[in-house]
Amino acid sequence: GKKLDIVIYDTTTKPPVAATLAQRLIYEDRVPVILGSGSSLDNLAMMEVTEKAKIPLFIPSSASPLITEKGYKWVWRLSLTDKTGAGSLGKLINQKPEWDRVAILYENTDYGSPPSEIVADIIKRSTGKQLVAMEAYSKGDADFRGQLQKIKNANPKLLIKWGYYTEAALIGRQVQVVGLIAQLLGNQALAIPEYPKLAGTVSNGVMFFSGTSSYYNPDPKMQSFGKRYLERFNRVPTDASIDGYDGITILAEVLNKVGTDPQKIQSALNASTFQGIGGNIKFDATGQAQKGVMLMKIEDGRTRFVEYLQP
């Protein structure tokens, strides 16, 4: 019969701020569990704090593979990992003979580098495929023409963009400026509805992968949720919104079942199976929920489902 009392702080997407706020939540606010940020770098910083304090850090939506690869016992992640997405993209590229020359442009952080290296390694080991260019940029950059000119000179058939949607929109515009002609394929950050709005017409034809916790998933249960969300908030839910809904629902179920003892919360998250919007949710030994992968394409500013991909 108790209501959840949620203490909210803004990390401003700065990892040191995120770590400081995690300490405040634990030692001043005395929370039994922390619901993580949407930023992978924020969560990687908070994990150092929560692991030492033995407080659960539950991350609804954050894609860096490192989050669940450090061997930590007090972190769980609900969303699709970029490692899984990268593997799926690699398999997709192998199925497309026309994508024989591939270039990668990625954010040079713990968010963008690891999955880009995974895709690059798959391409290098694939018969009939060639990685013709691999260029990096820094988070927050606004000018990518130097990297794009190098990529253009390599004459790729496919350009993979790996980073946040804000930079991806600028990259799309500058692709046209330098006259680069290639199929653009992005990571799941492009599922954010703001991406085609920022990119404008240059987003047409862009493809990207997404987890099955997506408004664009044709599953009837997901479509029903999306309709209710649209009616209530007058906008479609992002993948982060959907994972956030499932996340807070899971935590409410756990708190209702075992109370606020962190160790009991840890045990319940490890042992239980939960019902999410898109199906059952169970966490593996690393704290990672298993997710399916979908290929999406933007046409006339609208995102549509193309096919399910092999994880």
Side-chain angles (χ1 to χ4, degrees):
K2 295 181 180 179
K3 292 184 177 181
L4 290 175
D5 182 13
I6 303 177
V7 182
I8 300 175
Y9 293 124
D10 183 2
T11 70
T12 65
T13 324
K14 296 176 181 176
V17 174
T20 298
L21 292 175
Q23 290 177 329
R24 182 184 299 179
L25 286 167
I26 295 168
Y27 299 111
E28 296 182 21
D29 299 311
R30 301 289 181 179
V31 299
V33 60
I34 295 177
L35 199 66
S37 165
S39 163
S40 293
L41 298 180
D42 282 357
N43 288 317
L44 288 166
M46 287 192 286
M47 285 166 52
E48 302 302 321
V49 177
T50 56
E51 194 71 14
K52 291 178 182 177
K54 296 184 178 180
I55 291 292
L57 175 63
F58 189 95
I59 302 170
S61 182
S62 200
S64 172
L66 294 176
I67 289 172
T68 47
E69 290 183 349
K70 287 180 171 288
Y72 287 3
K73 302 300 182 184
W74 293 88
V75 61
W76 295 262
R77 191 241 307 274
L78 192 53
S79 59
L80 177 74
T81 71
D82 275 343
K83 181 176 182 179
T84 300
S88 295
L89 285 193
K91 293 174 184 177
L92 174 68
I93 292 168
N94 276 329
Q95 296 168 3
K96 302 285 187 179
E98 65 272 25
W99 293 347
D100 56 342
R101 297 176 61 82
V102 184
I104 302 174
L105 179 58
Y106 66 97
E107 178 186 296
N108 191 18
T109 64
D110 284 341
Y111 171 65
S113 296
S116 297
E117 292 289 348
I118 291 172
V119 177
D121 184 60
I122 293 173
I123 294 168
K124 291 174 183 176
R125 292 186 286 106
S126 299
T127 303
K129 305 295 179 182
Q130 186 178 359
L131 182 65
V132 297
M134 190 166 183
E135 295 289 329
Y137 62 88
S138 298
K139 181 174 171 58
D141 281 356
D143 189 350
F144 310 92
R145 287 172 294 179
Q147 296 98 319
L148 290 172
Q149 187 61 55
K150 292 179 182 179
I151 290 171
K152 178 188 176 183
N153 294 341
N155 191 31
K157 300 290 184 63
L158 175 70
L159 171 58
I160 298 173
K161 304 183 296 181
W162 209 291
Y164 288 103
Y165 71 93
T166 45
E167 286 88 349
L170 292 172
I171 290 169
R173 292 180 182 276
Q174 292 171 29
V175 161
Q176 289 195 340
V177 171
V178 302
L180 170 60
I181 299 175
Q183 172 64 53
L184 301 184
L185 181 61
N187 59 311
Q188 59 183 323
L190 304 195
I192 300 291
E194 283 74 17
Y195 167 69
K197 295 177 184 177
L198 286 175
T201 57
V202 300
S203 67
N204 287 334
V206 173
M207 305 175 81
F208 62 90
F209 76 86
S210 175
T212 48
S213 289
S214 169
Y215 169 76
Y216 307 110
N217 186 341
D219 181 271
K221 290 182 180 178
M222 187 63 69
Q223 289 301 302
S224 175
F225 175 83
K227 182 179 179 181
R228 298 197 309 273
Y229 190 100
L230 180 61
E231 290 173 350
R232 181 168 179 177
F233 299 107
N234 198 32
R235 57 186 171 88
V236 300
T238 64
D239 293 15
S241 299
I242 293 166
D243 284 328
Y245 180 91
D246 275 345
I248 198 66
T249 302
I250 288 171
L251 289 186
E253 180 179 334
V254 169
L255 290 167
N256 190 54
K257 181 179 179 181
V258 303
T260 58
D261 183 308
Q263 288 189 331
K264 291 182 178 179
I265 294 172
Q266 179 194 48
S267 298
L269 288 171
N270 287 338
S272 304
T273 299
F274 305 94
Q275 178 62 50
I277 299 169
N280 290 337
I281 297 170
K282 186 169 179 59
F283 299 96
D284 65 18
T286 70
Q288 176 61 48
Q290 303 306 299
K291 293 277 185 176
V293 188
M294 305 183 299
L295 180 66
M296 323 300 293
K297 187 174 184 178
I298 300 173
E299 295 178 336
D300 298 322
R302 298 175 64 88
T303 300
R304 69 174 182 86
F305 169 83
V306 178
E307 62 179 302
Y308 291 106
L309 299 179
Q310 183 180 354

